[in-house]
Amino acid sequence: MPEVNEYGQPVGDLVAWSPRRRPEPVTLPGAYVVVEPLAVAHAPALHAALCGPGDRPLWTYRPTEPPRDVGEMAALIEVHLAAADLVTFALVPRGERAEGIASYMRIDPATGQVEIAGVLFSRRLQRTRAATEAIHLTMRYAFDDLGYRRFEWKCDSLNEPSRRAARRLGFRYEGRFRQHMVTKSRNRDTDWFSVTDGEWRQVRAAHEAWLDPDNFDATGR
């Protein structure tokens, strides 16, 4: 039962809280992937990984179309780097070149919440240990290093792979914001998911158990 104040009104739990640091474009090394600050130098690798002849479906739910060449990819990267409300990373599997991107956005150090957004995995990166670990590393940085209270995931309500990924990674569904935005001249309803600091310990343990090398057979399954 919630605490009741002197006026007979229910109130939230007391929280010993002070504002946290803003996420920075740091390097987050993992066993299978390195999450590193996005740079224009990643443009050739990202264009090759994300903009091939069969890759247009990767961009369906994104606000932009796939860059037509390396120069357009570099320009898109520069837009990300210039955005004051974004901290964007390249996702680089160990021993390979960049295969994806992800950003922190809606960053609120005063209340300790942040969203992982714009997650884009190449087809080679999808459904791999490196992909799971990339999200795990961004969550670990927010919760363990910065002490944030809330980590969000949002997606187009029609983007079923993103919805499944959120649930698999331990995010809880919170609801649907109807007519939340217009993307590429189409309506977008947005589904909201989150993990809180109170849930993170269990979620982190589940991630670590799944990522353990002993969890995989000789073929990597």
Side-chain angles (χ1 to χ4, degrees):
M1 293 292 293
E3 183 181 345
V4 176
N5 68 11
E6 62 268 35
Y7 309 111
Q9 299 165 310
V11 293
D13 296 336
L14 287 172
V15 178
W17 176 258
S18 60
R20 299 305 197 246
R21 291 186 292 114
R22 180 181 172 84
E24 299 175 357
V26 296
T27 298
L28 307 172
Y32 310 110
V33 70
V34 177
V35 177
E36 62 187 38
L38 181 67
V40 173
H42 291 116
L46 289 174
H47 185 266
L50 302 170
C51 304
D55 290 334
R56 293 193 70 87
L58 299 176
W59 298 78
T60 296
Y61 300 107
R62 301 182 70 80
T64 60
E65 298 294 347
R68 290 172 293 183
D69 53 36
V70 173
E72 285 194 4
M73 178 62 80
L76 181 60
I77 290 173
E78 289 175 340
V79 169
H80 279 76
L81 297 180
D85 61 338
L86 293 180
V87 177
T88 305
F89 300 95
L91 313 178
V92 186
R94 286 286 187 179
E96 300 182 32
R97 301 201 304 168
E99 290 278 346
I101 58 175
S103 299
Y104 288 136
M105 67 179 294
R106 306 191 192 281
I107 302 165
D108 189 349
T111 59
Q113 56 187 321
V114 66
E115 175 186 346
I116 190 69
V119 177
L120 180 58
F121 296 148
S122 72
R123 296 187 183 281
R124 291 184 64 238
L125 187 57
Q126 291 173 0
R127 295 180 293 277
T128 65
R129 284 175 276 184
T132 296
E133 188 179 49
I135 302 303
H136 171 75
L137 292 172
T138 64
M139 297 177 74
R140 193 176 71 184
Y141 176 56
F143 282 123
D144 293 350
D145 297 342
L146 299 179
Y148 274 43
R149 301 181 68 228
R150 174 179 170 85
F151 196 92
E152 299 176 342
W153 177 296
K154 302 184 182 82
C155 64
D156 190 307
S157 64
L158 300 175
N159 188 350
E160 187 57 33
S162 185
R163 288 168 45 82
R164 288 198 305 267
R167 293 184 183 278
R168 186 180 71 82
L169 290 162
F171 289 80
R172 293 193 182 185
Y173 177 65
E174 294 186 328
R176 179 165 297 172
F177 280 45
R178 298 177 300 159
Q179 297 191 12
H180 180 224
M181 60 179 69
V182 176
T183 302
K184 294 177 179 173
S185 299
R186 294 184 182 275
N187 176 66
R188 168 172 152 164
D189 296 347
T190 299
D191 284 358
W192 288 46
F193 300 81
S194 74
V195 174
T196 66
D197 58 350
E199 299 159 350
W200 168 238
R201 184 173 182 177
Q202 182 175 355
V203 171
R204 181 182 60 195
H207 288 184
E208 291 171 348
W210 190 87
L211 290 166
D212 190 310
D214 290 340
N215 190 41
F216 297 86
D217 63 21
T219 66
R221 294 178 63 85

